[in-house]
Amino acid sequence: MKPTAAVYLDNAATTRLDPEVLDAMLPLMTEQFGNPSSIHSHGRTVRTAIEKARKTVAMLLNTSPAEIFFTSGGTEADNTAIRSSIETYGLTHAITSPLEHHAVLHTLEHLAKQGVIQLSLVNIDEKGHVDLGHLDELLGTHKGRSLVSLMHGNNEIGNLLDLNRVGEICRTHDAIFHSDTVQTMGHFRHNLQQLPVDFIVGAGHKFHGPKGVGFLYVNAERVKIHPFVYGGAQERNMRGGTENVYGIVGLAKALEIAYRDMDAHRQHITSLKSRMIDQLRAKMPDVQFNGDSGDVNNSLYTVLNVSLPASDMSDMLLFSLDIARISASGGSACSSGSNVGSHVLAALPALDAERGYVRFSFGKYNTAEEIDYAVETLVGLYQKELVK
């Protein structure tokens, strides 16, 4: 049965704003309009809202409010952690993987091109797992302190990194460890009192909060960095610029809801992912799943990266789904609309370039009926191709 509304299965790119979040934001968009840097009552009211939001985020992550800094999103938070730590500590070596988000990969590649750092890429296996033995070797052979930047949950193939193991390796070599946690924030619980990381990041729009706002956690016991954005004393002298007040309040509310309802949402979303996997395997015998995304128990449960049988329609797959009113992605949404293929899939040694690839990513508002329709449509497209 065709759903009455368009089917949105691109939640790894962005998520629908939760109505509770909008309700929390509205007062800051209307009557509470003061500049939080002003000392009068209008300003103090708004400043109080920001600090309450900071305390909420810190409480949920089990850390101090002094270690949470609000940014314009995950990209700025990643850039702040990477560029500011390299500048502050005079680091000359960084390690990452070829599967990272471009916010990390392009930043480090630019710094390497400028001669600021030497960049090492850790080995990955055919499914996209980071070779932790090679990471240990890279850290051990470099003289001086290194920066390690490895994401917690891959936005395209759903692989999860063992943050504790990587953190322990980094501590052994006195390396600074930054992890892009944009895809797992709000979907997994992060206890920063126990997690051996120096920086993690979040972006509100990945967990049903507003776009254009994120945060950076800085482990104050291990690192102290210079600002990345200058121009004012905002964020305790760590980020210049008037704060996105209603965005910050919305982010905190969205994270609060995510933690409150996480178990129920995880169960619901995992059931949808399992439903799609089971149906695709039954109706398309040659279907495959990239990375760990086909393993519902050991992957980012919001992401399923599907590898489809080779056909002439592979290049038009997303367009055909869009005509059927199904929104999905061919990889990272940050590359949508370009002719450049997924750098994540291209880095996998076992990739078959002739096959079709589509990423479905799920959220709390998706339904079983939407999954059934997406599978029916996908199977129908390939059956038409085979009849030709």
Side-chain angles (χ1 to χ4, degrees), residues 248-315:
I248 289 170
V249 170
L251 178 150
K253 184 63 177 180
L255 194 61
E256 181 180 31
I257 294 168
Y259 268 70
R260 182 192 73 194
D261 301 335
M262 190 178 294
D263 294 340
H265 289 161
R266 179 169 187 161
Q267 183 178 359
H268 170 67
I269 295 169
T270 300
S271 72
L272 298 179
K273 180 174 176 177
S274 297
R275 189 182 187 94
M276 178 171 274
I277 290 172
D278 292 343
Q279 291 191 30
L280 286 174
R281 281 177 172 157
K283 298 177 180 180
M284 298 183 74
D286 194 27
V287 73
Q288 298 171 15
F289 303 102
N290 293 308
D292 285 337
S293 66
D295 184 349
V296 293
N297 296 314
N298 296 291
S299 68
L300 184 56
Y301 61 90
T302 54
V303 169
L304 181 64
N305 196 295
V306 183
S307 172
L308 298 158
S311 80
D312 293 337
M313 69 161 288
S314 294
D315 292 339

Side-chain angles (χ1 to χ4, degrees), residues 18-325:
D18 189 299
E20 284 188 68
V21 174
L22 180 59
D23 288 343
M25 293 169 63
L26 281 174
L28 281 304
M29 303 171 75
T30 53
E31 65 266 21
Q32 297 176 20
F33 57 85
N35 188 316
S37 295
S38 299
I39 61 173
H40 49 58
S41 62
H42 287 79
R44 293 197 306 272
T45 297
V46 176
R47 169 57 57 191
T48 298
I50 291 177
E51 296 313 317
K52 181 180 177 181
R54 196 187 315 278
K55 289 179 180 178
T56 296
V57 173
M59 177 193 68
L60 294 170
L61 300 180
N62 194 22
T63 190
S64 165
E67 296 179 308
I68 301 296
F69 299 92
F70 293 114
T71 67
S72 64
T75 296
E76 185 193 327
D78 284 334
N79 270 262
T80 301
I82 292 169
R83 299 176 73 107
S84 294
S85 59
I86 287 173
E87 177 189 338
T88 302
Y89 291 99
L91 306 180
T92 58
H93 181 232
I95 302 171
T96 191
S97 87
L99 308 183
E100 301 303 303
H101 190 278
H102 281 150
V104 168
L105 203 53
H106 283 177
T107 301
L108 288 170
E109 287 173 345
H110 172 75
L111 292 171
K113 186 177 181 180
Q114 295 296 312
V116 177
I117 58 165
Q118 172 195 344
L119 179 60
S120 299
L121 295 180
V122 66
N123 292 339
I124 58 167
D125 66 18
E126 63 180 15
K127 292 197 71 175
H129 300 128
V130 172
D131 184 340
L132 297 185
H134 186 228
L135 173 63
D136 186 57
E137 180 184 335
L138 288 172
L139 286 169
T141 55
H142 177 76
K143 293 182 180 179
R145 202 175 193 187
S146 299
L147 170 70
V148 174
S149 182
L150 295 169
M151 69 199 321
H152 183 206
N154 190 279
N155 55 308
E156 294 196 35
I157 59 174
N159 288 13
L160 291 171
L161 184 74
D162 188 334
L163 293 181
N164 283 294
R165 286 190 62 194
V166 174
E168 290 165 2
I169 293 170
C170 290
R171 294 284 171 91
T172 298
H173 296 279
D174 192 31
I176 294 175
F177 179 29
H178 159 256
S179 184
D180 182 328
T181 52
V182 163
Q183 287 295 329
T184 58
M185 187 60 60
H187 302 290
F188 292 79
R189 299 183 188 277
H190 297 83
N191 185 343
L192 296 179
Q193 288 295 319
Q194 299 178 357
L195 206 56
V197 297
D198 298 310
F199 303 101
I200 66 166
V201 307
H205 72 111
K206 301 295 188 179
F207 45 88
H208 302 282
K211 297 174 180 63
V213 64
F215 68 87
L216 171 67
Y217 158 77
V218 181
N219 186 332
E221 291 185 3
R222 282 183 43 88
V223 289
K224 300 186 188 305
I225 56 172
H226 303 315
F228 174 58
V229 176
Y230 288 87
Q234 292 87 353
E235 290 302 290
R236 302 186 309 286
N237 294 305
M238 273 296 295
R239 182 190 185 271
T242 301
E243 297 90 337
N244 175 4
V245 181
Y246 37 83
I248 289 170
V249 170
L251 178 150
K253 184 63 177 180
L255 194 61
E256 181 180 31
I257 294 168
Y259 268 70
R260 182 192 73 194
D261 301 335
M262 190 178 294
D263 294 340
H265 289 161
R266 179 169 187 161
Q267 183 178 359
H268 170 67
I269 295 169
T270 300
S271 72
L272 298 179
K273 180 174 176 177
S274 297
R275 189 182 187 94
M276 178 171 274
I277 290 172
D278 292 343
Q279 291 191 30
L280 286 174
R281 281 177 172 157
K283 298 177 180 180
M284 298 183 74
D286 194 27
V287 73
Q288 298 171 15
F289 303 102
N290 293 308
D292 285 337
S293 66
D295 184 349
V296 293
N297 296 314
N298 296 291
S299 68
L300 184 56
Y301 61 90
T302 54
V303 169
L304 181 64
N305 196 295
V306 183
S307 172
L308 298 158
S311 80
D312 293 337
M313 69 161 288
S314 294
D315 292 339
M316 297 293 291
L317 182 57
L318 295 180
F319 179 72
S320 299
L321 288 172
D322 191 37
I323 289 177
R325 303 180 74 208

